[in-house]
Amino acid sequence: ATNPTLYANMPFDPMKDFAPVIGLSLLPNVIVVHAAVPARTLRELIDYAKASPEKVSCASSSTGSTGHLSCEYFNLQTGTKILHVPFKGSAGAVTGVLGGQVPILFDQIPAPLPHIRAGKLRAIALTGPKRNANLPEVPTSDEAGLPGFHTHTWVAVFAPRATPAAVIARLNAEVDRILQSADVQEKFNGMGMEPIGGPPERLAQMLAADTAKWARVIKAANISLQ
């Protein structure tokens, strides 16, 4: 959903060269701040960033990551000018915020979760449409006053475009059945992930919507990868 805009020369077109089979899991990002940051709500974080334009920064696991794009989408939605600081992986980004080098982190839930529970980092809001079992007390962006600010990583199954419809249907039905099992759902919940499932059309719509959304964000922030 992001690479067609991030890269100038893509060897394939995700929309045209693949047949959607089924979405597997969705993992929302969490907006986290260093304990010294005065903001405790999303509204306070927006005010904090606007008070020092281009002086407040956010950490992410890498340039072009969902954390980075979440930060740029946040700027676009709120009018803030938070600067992006890329690290080599989520562990480095979390360490940078723990050490106070960068005040804000946009990342997937697992990496900062232990530090949130220990009180070293403060979770401000989740970027998914519903609360997460690992952080039940943390509001969604919708609840916190920024409706529609949804950014997440998703995992899905695709097949070559020429795959017969009967094969797609069989794969979809079998994987959907597995996703609905209590064992799989328990494992997903433990990792902060939500099962997606549903027909291939649901995945196709998700890919199309995210491709359009992230193209707008990437172009506005002038991001490109080699």
Side-chain angles (χ1 to χ4, degrees):
T2 60
N3 283 357
T5 313
L6 285 172
Y7 291 94
N9 297 301
M10 279 281 287
F12 58 87
D13 184 333
M15 299 281 286
K16 296 178 180 178
D17 296 337
F18 297 101
V21 176
I22 191 168
L24 295 180
S25 65
L26 183 147
L27 182 59
N29 283 325
V30 60
I31 305 172
V32 177
V33 298
H34 183 269
V37 173
R40 293 185 174 274
T41 67
L42 198 57
R43 183 69 259 170
E44 289 176 354
L45 182 62
I46 294 169
D47 292 341
Y48 169 75
K50 284 187 173 180
S52 303
E54 298 185 349
K55 292 183 180 179
V56 174
S57 55
C58 68
S60 85
S61 61
S62 65
T63 300
S65 65
T66 56
H68 175 202
L69 298 182
S70 294
C71 182
E72 300 295 358
Y73 188 35
F74 188 81
N75 282 335
L76 201 60
Q77 291 285 88
T78 63
T80 51
K81 294 182 179 180
I82 301 171
L83 299 178
H84 173 240
V85 181
F87 285 80
K88 292 183 178 179
S90 290
V94 170
T95 300
V97 179
L98 280 171
Q101 288 92 357
V102 186
I104 305 169
L105 171 71
F106 290 78
D107 203 357
Q108 298 166 5
I109 293 170
L113 185 59
H115 307 290
I116 294 170
R117 289 174 171 168
K120 296 178 180 179
L121 297 176
R122 185 184 310 121
I124 298 294
L126 293 165
T127 64
K130 60 183 180 180
R131 294 202 181 197
N132 190 276
N134 289 277
L135 296 168
E137 74 287 355
V138 179
T140 67
S141 51
D142 293 340
E143 295 171 326
L146 193 58
F149 181 70
H150 300 158
T151 71
H152 43 249
T153 299
W154 49 259
V155 181
V157 177
F158 289 83
R161 174 57 68 184
T163 304
V167 174
I168 298 291
R170 174 70 186 278
L171 284 170
N172 175 273
E174 290 297 322
V175 176
D176 202 35
R177 177 182 61 79
I178 294 166
L179 287 174
Q180 293 178 40
S181 71
D183 182 52
V184 169
Q185 296 211 9
E186 182 181 352
K187 285 184 170 63
F188 275 24
N189 287 335
M191 294 184 285
M193 301 190 301
E194 304 165 14
I196 301 173
E201 291 77 17
R202 181 180 181 184
L203 175 56
Q205 291 167 1
M206 191 166 65
L207 174 62
D210 270 10
T211 298
K213 177 174 75 177
W214 291 125
R216 183 168 63 90
V217 174
I218 292 164
K219 289 174 182 176
N222 196 27
I223 307 166
S224 64
L225 299 177
Q226 302 300 321

